[in-house]
Amino acid sequence: MRFDPESKHGANNGLNIARDLLEPIKQEFPWISYGDLWTLSGVAAIQELGGPKIPWRPGRVDGLAAQCTPDGRLPDASQGSDHVRNIFYRMGFNDQEIVALLGGHALGRCHTDRSGYDGPWTFSPTSVTNSFYKLLLEEKWAWKKWGGPKQYEDKKTQSLMMLPADYVLVQDKNFKKWVKAYADDEDLWFKDFSASVARLFELGVPTQQFVAAEPWILKNTDEKN
Ligand code: HEM
């Protein structure tokens, strides 16, 4: 994602903002690879915003422009369960892990000037909680009436959103049972989310690059003395 055309792929819109925020840190600590810096910042965000510990280890060696991934390998938010499965099965994730990963939408929001979609998934978009699953199950969702891309809004407040690719999690029986499990038990979701994100952050990295055999559990700022 450091190079064109990958940095300009539609599914990466807006990530330039995060990359630019991290660039001064890269300048100050040039010995860290972009692969390590960007995954570490993801770990820090999840942990500092109240989420589970994400086991992480350093060593990723940055690739070259010629190794850019082709467009079309990232999930398309307008698509259904077959597409979501194709994308994540290719990376080695099963249905349970797909549902666990999508809970990442507890954080943040969609922006019309980035993806075209609009709004947050939860009422607490700066906290990692299992409310994404609870809202999916407990709220009534309807197509939003607007000029933008097809997305759902909650009927009650019309202030929350679900992407078509999020909503398949309650339309598909095998996905839905995990939505229920994670809505009922946040600890279970934290455990599964942590394991899946840790794997996602190591995908495609040759094991010999890592400096440690076992990932580390990093302290949060409020745990440091
Ligand atoms: C089917 C898979 C997925 C699809 C289709 C998808 C799609 C999207 C879209 C369209 C946005 C809005 C971008 C914008 O307008 O700014 C977004 C944002 C976001 N996604 Fe996903 N995503 C998927 C999986 C994931 C996963 C696995 C995670 C993390 C574990 C994740 C974390 C986030 C976060 C935190 C944001 C908010 C960004 C912000 O607030 O600026 N997503 N995603």
Side-chain angles (χ1 to χ4, degrees):
M1 227 213 300
R2 296 162 60 211
F3 304 106
D4 288 357
E6 189 182 353
S7 57
K8 301 254 165 53
H9 289 170
N12 287 329
N13 263 355
L15 290 176
N16 55 309
I17 297 164
R19 288 198 298 272
D20 290 351
L21 282 170
L22 292 171
E23 192 52 31
I25 301 177
K26 171 71 176 169
Q27 296 307 315
E28 191 176 341
F29 305 100
W31 44 263
I32 192 169
S33 67
Y34 282 102
D36 279 350
L37 177 63
W38 293 349
T39 51
L40 181 59
S41 72
V43 168
I46 292 168
Q47 293 193 181
E48 295 293 330
L49 296 175
K53 295 290 175 116
I54 309 292
W56 179 89
R57 54 187 164 165
R60 293 162 190 76
V61 175
D62 288 329
L64 307 168
Q67 296 166 314
C68 262
T69 186
D71 203 356
R73 293 165 64 112
L74 288 170
D76 174 346
S78 70
Q79 306 248 4
S81 53
D82 286 355
H83 169 79
V84 172
R85 284 199 170 95
N86 280 339
I87 295 284
F88 283 94
Y89 283 5
R90 189 177 50 77
M91 296 187 275
F93 293 103
N94 63 27
D95 284 358
Q96 177 180 3
E97 293 161 336
I98 292 171
V99 178
L101 281 171
L102 264 280
H105 284 165
L107 285 182
R109 58 174 294 130
C110 295
H111 306 79
T112 48
D113 58 340
R114 301 181 196 169
S115 62
Y117 295 99
D118 190 31
W121 291 268
T122 73
F123 293 111
S124 52
T126 54
S127 297
V128 183
T129 70
N130 65 342
S131 52
F132 171 79
Y133 304 107
K134 290 188 171 171
L135 290 160
L136 257 177
L137 288 176
E138 289 165 13
E139 293 308 315
K140 297 229 173 331
W141 297 93
W143 290 114
K144 181 180 169 78
K145 294 193 179 58
W146 74 321
K150 284 183 86 172
Q151 66 176 66
Y152 293 89
E153 66 180 6
D154 70 306
K155 278 192 172 171
K156 208 187 295 162
T157 72
Q158 299 182 321
S159 64
L160 301 178
M161 68 93 59
M162 289 289 164
L163 300 164
D166 296 311
Y167 201 66
V168 300
L169 300 188
V170 285
Q171 291 172 316
D172 181 288
K173 215 163 66 294
N174 285 324
F175 284 146
K176 191 174 180 182
K177 71 172 185 232
W178 292 110
V179 174
K180 283 186 180 149
Y182 296 144
D184 284 348
D185 187 345
E186 189 175 63
D187 289 343
L188 176 69
W189 175 57
F190 269 20
K191 181 174 81 54
D192 292 349
F193 182 63
S194 167
S196 295
V197 171
R199 258 178 53 215
L200 190 69
F201 285 1
E202 295 200 352
L203 271 190
V205 185
T207 315
Q208 64 271 20
Q209 286 187 5
F210 290 114
V211 303
E214 288 300 319
W216 305 338
I217 304 292
L218 300 168
K219 284 186 179 172
N220 291 352
T221 44
D222 64 4
E223 293 169 319
K224 292 194 173 147
N225 22 9

